[in-house]
Amino acid sequence: QSALTQPASVSGSPGQSITISCTGTSSDVGSYNLVSWYQQHPGKAPKLMIYEVSKRPSGVSNRFSGSKSGNTASLTISGLQAEDEADYYCCSYAGSSTYVVFGGGTKLTVL
Amino acid sequence: EVQLVESGGGLVQPGGSLRLSCAASGFTVSSNYMSWVRQAPGKGLEWVSVIYSGGSTYYADSVKGRFTISRDNSKNTLYLQMNSLRAEDTAVYYCARDSIGSGSYYYWGQGTLVTVSS
């Protein structure tokens, strides 16, 4: 049950685009199109931003998009806004018993 | 409106026990895949346990044999019984709903803090 690998931090200026990578293995990210992404502001519960690799829940801005290639998933945020500054976690389904594995988290700073 | 409200957290000594509750409203716990996810202070999210709609239960290796997930259908409430607690179990514990067993959690509770310390 090793955590998925994410960069510890990324940054960008307002209006720019950034991409956060999430690398797993053939047992999790590579095997299932069941990667989700969560946004977490300090002291708050996580919020689902992307599910099933690239789907957006109702109410989530279309500035957020997801993709996957092999064992690596990615979250792209376009048109960065100050309120996007938060921690972001990827998560992958990993089978019926392991269930899910999270990434270590990426701190996004909007400069 | 869907709501998840955790309770039961607090300070406990190493080796002690605690039972967390997650009261649900707006949906039926037994019809969903319900998980506990924890977050140690300043750290990332860690999946702890899941109970399937069919009743099967699974645990992270770090808590297997010490924690037990269960639900009370009459109370529409999810539980996490935590025994033999260790300092490394100190975290905010969230309950979360996964509607279809895909590992995507749309609904989360506000979390309850468990501190294991002497």
Side-chain angles (χ1 to χ4, degrees), chain A residues 20-76:
Chain A
I20 300 172
S21 62
C22 170
T23 301
T25 70
S26 56
S27 297
D28 38 63
V29 175
S31 284
Y32 308 96
N33 288 324
L34 295 174
V35 176
S36 51
W37 289 89
Y38 300 88
Q39 177 192 66
Q40 187 180 36
H41 287 108
K44 301 294 187 181
K47 175 185 177 183
L48 180 66
M49 305 302 286
I50 296 288
Y51 67 101
E52 294 177 11
V53 175
S54 60
K55 297 179 181 179
R56 276 188 313 274
S58 174
V60 171
S61 171
N62 59 9
R63 298 185 299 105
F64 292 82
S65 61
S67 62
K68 190 189 89 165
S69 177
N71 295 339
T72 299
S74 299
L75 173 71
T76 297

Side-chain angles (χ1 to χ4, degrees), chain A residues 6-12 18-20 86-87 105-109:
Chain A
Q6 297 180 233
S9 63
V10 297
S11 62
I18 63 95
T19 296
I20 300 172
D87 293 324
T106 298
K107 181 175 180 60
L108 169 62
T109 301

